[in-house]
Amino acid sequence: MRRRLLIGGIGVGWLLVSSVTLAGQGIGGYAGAFLRMGVAPRAQAMGDAFVAVPEGPGIGLYNPAGVALLGGPQATAGAGALALDRSLYVLGFALPIHPKGIGAMDGGLGLTWVHGAVHDIDGRDADGVHIGTFSNAENAFVFSFAVRPHRMVAVGMTGLILYNRLPGVTRDNGTLTSSGVGVHLGVAAMPLAGLVVGATVHNINAKYTWNTESVYEHGTSVVDRFPLCLRAGASYRPAWGWLLVSAELEQSDRQGTLYRLGVEATVSRQLALRGGVDNGRLRCGIGLTFPMFGRAVALDYAFLPTVEGLAPDHMFAWVFHF
């Protein structure tokens, strides 16, 4: 166990040093930022380098193909304590499926709900005069499906139903809303023992269309498109099993090239240490596993520093293995 702690500590320490020398870039400024924050504390603690880690009930949002590679049914409930009056909640369930019959392919299904909100937004007009306090809430209803056409390959698709609301902004103090749909496509392959490679296309057709005629006298229609992102990466778990490393690159049409690195060291049957770098931003966290009602239950935590001067974000999630 001491050896695992030492190596795990070295890995996390390396990522800490790396994060100091690499400049970070923000993920905000474009539609759908609440989904790009990451939805699983385990993945977030590993720098969100999860496109090639087919584990966890939220995998459909990282790589749809991953739901076909899960070891069993899993459920999660997560929440975030975030700076700047933001909140994030996640509920998810995923399971592999093994249909019987000649030619039937194994696969997987996943359902996830993600709710992100910002409260107490200080509203100002063009002259800087306070005009009220506002809020914003976004929801994503996520449906994932994947199949394994070959024992070493899985392909999948995630459908997103998006709903965004801005209360109290119309001329009659009503709510301005917008909805949309989007798609993620993903593939995962396992060419060697312990090695997984994955690739995805995120946010195909994902956008909000806003009609501002109820807000302004001469309002118009505005399309707020999600960044289209291509992600590719690999993860490796050596034969001894307690170490997992992952890396990925993302090419976004709005944010350029981003990189992510992650490491997880399972130092005992109950404790896992995690660290990562998400495009220059340090991430770290722990996972605690224990039995409950005859099932394995994991409590995951991620510590997510934000920009200088702001309090860090904290993400928590319960993961139930059935």
Side-chain angles (χ1 to χ4, degrees):
M1 179 173 174
R2 289 181 177 177
R3 182 170 176 267
R4 295 183 184 185
L5 278 169
L6 176 61
I7 297 177
I10 291 173
V12 173
W14 171 76
L15 291 167
L16 279 168
V17 173
S18 298
S19 69
V20 174
T21 59
L22 298 170
Q25 296 181 13
I27 60 171
Y30 303 104
F34 76 116
L35 294 177
R36 293 191 299 280
M37 292 174 60
V39 299
R42 182 186 175 201
Q44 291 172 300
M46 295 177 63
D48 259 345
F50 236 60
V51 72
V53 182
E55 301 173 11
I59 187 60
L61 276 166
Y62 291 93
N63 187 340
V67 295
L69 305 177
L70 294 174
Q74 302 176 19
T76 187
L82 311 180
L84 297 175
D85 299 311
R86 296 169 298 150
S87 60
L88 185 70
Y89 300 97
V90 180
L91 291 175
F93 176 76
L95 78 165
I97 53 177
H98 305 286
K100 300 185 182 301
I102 299 175
M105 287 187 290
D106 289 344
L109 297 170
L111 299 173
T112 306
W113 168 64
V114 185
H115 172 82
V118 184
H119 308 280
D120 298 328
I121 301 171
D122 184 18
R124 303 272 174 173
D125 64 12
D127 298 320
V129 177
H130 177 75
I131 57 174
T133 301
F134 302 98
S135 64
N136 171 233
E138 294 182 76
N139 292 275
F141 303 94
V142 182
F143 308 90
S144 300
F145 174 71
V147 294
R148 297 182 68 173
H150 188 275
R151 63 180 179 83
M152 294 193 297
V153 178
V155 295
M157 181 181 75
T158 288
L160 308 168
I161 298 177
L162 308 161
Y163 182 68
N164 196 333
R165 62 192 306 270
L166 290 161
V169 300
T170 65
R171 284 176 289 175
D172 59 358
N173 204 34
T175 298
L176 183 67
T177 65
S178 180
S179 59
V181 296
V183 172
H184 297 345
L185 299 176
V187 59
M190 298 163 287
L192 299 172
L195 176 65
V196 180
V197 295
T200 62
V201 183
H202 278 227
N203 300 329
I204 299 171
N205 193 56
K207 61 187 176 184
Y208 294 127
T209 301
W210 298 99
N211 187 333
T212 58
E213 292 181 350
S214 61
V215 180
Y216 307 105
E217 183 177 358
H218 302 290
T220 184
S221 180
V222 177
V223 176
D224 198 7
R225 189 169 61 83
F226 286 43
L228 183 66
C229 305
L230 306 176
R231 296 181 181 178
S235 71
Y236 182 64
R237 188 186 294 277
W240 52 83
W242 57 268
L243 184 66
L244 173 67
V245 294
S246 61
E248 72 176 53
L249 287 175
E250 174 181 318
Q251 181 63 47
S252 167
D253 65 345
R254 300 291 184 90
Q255 298 169 288
T257 302
L258 313 177
Y259 71 91
R260 302 182 178 93
L261 304 169
V263 60
E264 177 184 73
T266 304
V267 298
S268 72
R269 297 181 63 179
Q270 294 79 30
L271 175 64
L273 301 178
R274 297 160 185 153
V277 177
D278 183 357
N279 206 46
R281 297 185 300 272
L282 171 68
R283 304 289 189 243
C284 62
I286 64 172
L288 301 174
T289 301
F290 48 87
M292 179 181 291
F293 306 118
R295 304 292 182 182
V297 176
L299 175 61
D300 292 328
Y301 165 72
F303 176 79
L304 311 171
T306 56
V307 298
E308 184 176 356
L310 291 180
D313 293 339
H314 306 272
M315 286 294 299
F316 304 85
W318 290 94
V319 179
F320 304 88
H321 298 263
F322 297 97

